[in-house]
Amino acid sequence: GYSRAKGRIDAKILLDAISGEKELKTTLTFIVEEDGSLSNVQSQGEHIGLNRQAEIALYLLSDRFIPAYRNGIPVRSKFRFPLKMRFE
C-alpha cells in the first residue's frame, strides 16, 4: 500500500543532496504499465534536489508494481504520489 511504498522511497533518498531545509514537498507522477514496470516518472516541487532524488528512488525500487485491471485484463494506470519530508 501507500505507506509501504512511501517508506521504501524515503529509504532510498540521499539526504546529502537535500540538506539545509526544514520541510520539503514534491509530487511524483508516473505510469504503471500492464507488466508492472514504471514509465513517465516525473516530480514537481520547489526543491530540485528532492525532485531528482524522489525520481531516482522510485526507479530503484526492486519490486514491480501491481497493475490496474479492467475486465480481468491488466491496463496502464497513472498515479500521483505526494511526498513530504521533515528534517529536525
Side-chain angles (χ1 to χ4, degrees), residues 9-28:
I9 291 170
D10 286 351
K12 301 243 183 238
I13 291 177
L14 297 175
L15 298 178
D16 292 341
I18 55 175
S19 63
E21 301 288 335
K22 295 236 181 221
E23 181 175 287
L24 296 171
K25 299 176 188 178
T26 190
T27 300
L28 289 164

Side-chain angles (χ1 to χ4, degrees), residues 28-62:
L28 289 164
T29 56
F30 55 95
I31 304 284
V32 175
E33 300 291 344
E34 294 94 340
D35 66 356
S37 64
L38 301 179
S39 66
N40 298 338
V41 174
Q42 298 176 348
S43 60
Q44 185 175 2
E46 293 180 9
H47 194 282
I48 198 159
L50 177 61
N51 294 342
R52 187 58 61 207
Q53 285 296 313
E55 291 173 11
I56 292 167
L58 189 59
Y59 276 122
L60 288 175
L61 295 179
S62 58

